[in-house]
Amino acid sequence: MDTTSTRAHDDIRTAPRALATEAVHAGRDDLARQGLHAPPIDLSTTYPSYDSRGEAARIDAFATTGAEPDGPPVYGRLGNPTVARFETALARLEGTEAAVAFASGMAALSAVLLVRGSMGLRHVVAVRPLYGCSDHLLTAGLLGSEVTWTDPAGVADALRPDTGLVLVESPANPTLAEVDLRAVAHACGSVPLLVDNTFATPVLQRPAEHGARLILHSATKYLGGHGDVLAGVVACDEEFAGRLRQVRFATGGVLHPLAGYLLLRGLSTLPVRVRAASATAAELVRRLAADPRVARVHYPRIGGAMVAFEVYGDPHEVIGAVRLITPAVSLGSVDTLIQHPASISHRIVDADDRRGSGVSDQLLRMSVGLEDVEDLWSDLDAALGRRPEGGAGKCASNHDATALAH
């Protein structure tokens, strides 16, 4: 196995490739030349070297720019060849120069805040709703940041000289509200726009094409896709990636090589999984929208496998009644998950702020998996309980009713 660099070799690619092709081949382009089919897992934490002067020079270079060291790896916190393959592949899918992986999505967001904070740019402009822990990290100022919450139209007016970041999530967790990314990026001016793209994935949208400089993923979700890996990643330009690598090295929020391997494997089926689950989700949305037990359905215009809906009855009874669907936090797995955001994923957000951003106590969030749609509907139908006499469900939010089935 060639471990002369933490970079995954990709010099043989000479022409643009479709996303489905990139998902299968990015980060693996050098394997055939090495006589390999599956990517190797390098579990080393340290690497022997008899050239201590050369190592010193490479460490000095890393300290200056954060660029991946040339030559053989040095130490696990500086970089790992298996993780580098995943980073190469994710950057290809998002259309950015680089990507930097972390031990979790929150570690990735924390690194971004630390990079900007180290430059004296501690102010963040953010749009609610966000993932509950992202909201809490900003609101509590745990990393010394200060946040101004605004709607998308107010981003430009909220900027200050010390604003280091504008943060949006689109579609948002858990209401699936969407933001006009190009308009927000324009409003940001020279301030970097970070888009949490966890729900959409690069299959449905590539924020860099709309002006975002930073793209955040909880890779635990769709990128891994099987509920068995915890990770985060930021796709960005090489300059910002260098700063992120320096923070990762200093704080130790590194991704384990086995997780990097599982993520690279997950990417190979990402387009197929997202498109199949999205088709099932759209059909479930159509049925929920017409159901008299459902008060409101949320589903983004770009589609996807995430569905949110508000029930007239007790949402906790729905959670307790599912049998096929898994009642669990998280999302993006091959099996369908359902949870009550006000009790779990967004419990840490102040109740007034939570409700003010559209996260009602009646809201349920469902991550649609790869099961048969009829089996899923049978489980949902039973969990929703008895149908009332007459009446009709109210479909609203991010989609008009005529588009829900498409």
Side-chain angles (χ1 to χ4, degrees):
M1 180 180 66
D2 181 3
T3 58
T4 58
S5 173
T6 59
R7 297 190 186 96
H9 299 288
D10 56 3
D11 54 298
I12 66 170
R13 191 180 74 118
T14 58
R17 304 190 294 206
L19 184 132
T21 303
E22 288 285 26
V24 173
H25 289 280
R28 304 170 178 84
D29 286 327
D30 63 313
L31 294 180
R33 291 180 294 165
Q34 297 188 57
L36 299 172
H37 184 232
I41 306 175
D42 188 330
L43 295 173
S44 298
T45 58
T46 191
Y47 299 86
S49 173
Y50 293 98
D51 182 11
S52 55
R53 291 186 183 88
E55 285 203 341
R58 289 191 292 138
I59 291 173
D60 285 346
F62 177 83
T64 301
T65 66
E68 294 178 290
D70 290 323
V74 177
Y75 184 59
R77 269 195 295 121
L78 271 168
N80 172 274
T82 306
V83 172
R85 290 182 180 277
F86 163 65
E87 293 171 330
T88 295
L90 193 276
R92 287 277 187 80
L93 293 181
E94 283 290 7
T96 59
E97 293 177 345
V100 183
F102 294 86
S104 70
M106 291 308 300
L109 176 57
S110 296
V112 173
L113 294 173
L114 288 171
V115 166
R116 300 304 281 167
S118 69
M119 303 169 69
L121 302 171
R122 298 183 179 276
H123 179 242
V124 177
V125 174
V127 176
R128 279 187 171 127
L130 295 174
Y131 168 52
C133 288
S134 300
D135 189 308
H136 177 67
L137 180 65
L138 295 175
T139 302
L142 296 176
L143 297 178
S145 58
E146 177 188 351
V147 62
T148 296
W149 296 102
T150 184
D151 58 34
V155 167
D157 290 338
L159 299 177
R160 305 188 326 205
D162 63 338
T163 302
L165 190 69
V166 174
L167 173 57
V168 302
E169 184 175 6
S170 184
N173 187 351
T175 67
L176 304 175
E178 293 173 278
V179 173
D180 184 336
L181 298 181
R182 191 174 300 279
V184 172
H186 178 75
C188 289
S190 61
V191 177
L193 171 63
L194 184 151
V195 175
D196 187 330
N197 204 34
T198 299
F199 276 20
T201 80
V203 177
L204 300 180
Q205 73 179 7
R206 307 211 307 175
E209 296 175 350
H210 301 284
R213 185 176 175 189
L214 308 169
I215 300 97
L216 172 70
H217 287 272
S218 173
T220 307
K221 312 305 194 296
Y222 287 104
L223 303 190
H226 293 75
D228 55 7
V229 59
L230 193 69
V233 63
V234 179
C236 55
D237 57 63
E238 177 57 35
E239 179 184 358
F240 204 98
R243 300 297 300 271
L244 289 173
R245 294 186 196 107
Q246 290 174 326
V247 168
R248 183 177 64 182
F249 174 72
T251 60
V254 296
L255 184 66
H256 192 275
L258 181 57
Y261 172 85
L262 290 172
L263 288 167
L264 184 63
R265 187 176 69 170
L267 288 185
S268 65
T269 60
L270 178 66
V272 176
R273 287 187 287 106
V274 168
R275 289 166 181 154
S278 297
T280 300
E283 173 58 20
L284 292 176
V285 164
R286 187 186 66 80
R287 299 184 189 191
L288 287 167
D291 196 299
R293 297 164 294 182
V294 176
R296 185 182 176 105
V297 177
H298 303 256
Y299 191 63
R301 291 185 179 278
I302 64 170
M306 297 301 301
V307 178
F309 58 99
E310 298 169 51
V311 296
Y312 285 115
D314 186 345
H316 301 283
E317 291 185 1
V318 178
I319 294 291
V322 293
R323 293 295 177 263
L324 174 66
I325 297 169
T326 304
V329 73
S330 198
L331 55 110
S333 185
V334 291
D335 60 322
T336 299
L337 310 178
I338 193 169
Q339 64 112 351
H340 183 241
S343 296
I344 306 180
S345 64
H346 288 70
R347 189 66 180 178
I348 201 169
V349 179
D350 176 81
D352 289 338
D353 291 336
R354 186 171 66 233
R355 296 185 186 109
S357 62
V359 186
S360 77
D361 292 340
Q362 299 302 114
L363 185 72
L364 293 169
R365 190 195 74 187
M366 184 167 61
S367 168
V368 178
L370 300 180
E371 302 95 336
D372 184 84
V373 66
E374 297 301 335
D375 290 330
L376 289 174
W377 178 248
S378 177
D379 195 37
L380 266 181
D381 185 35
L384 286 168
R386 289 183 56 188
R387 292 174 179 264
E389 297 295 331
K394 298 177 183 178
C395 169
S397 75
N398 313 331
H399 236 327
D400 62 66
T402 59
L404 286 167
H406 299 290

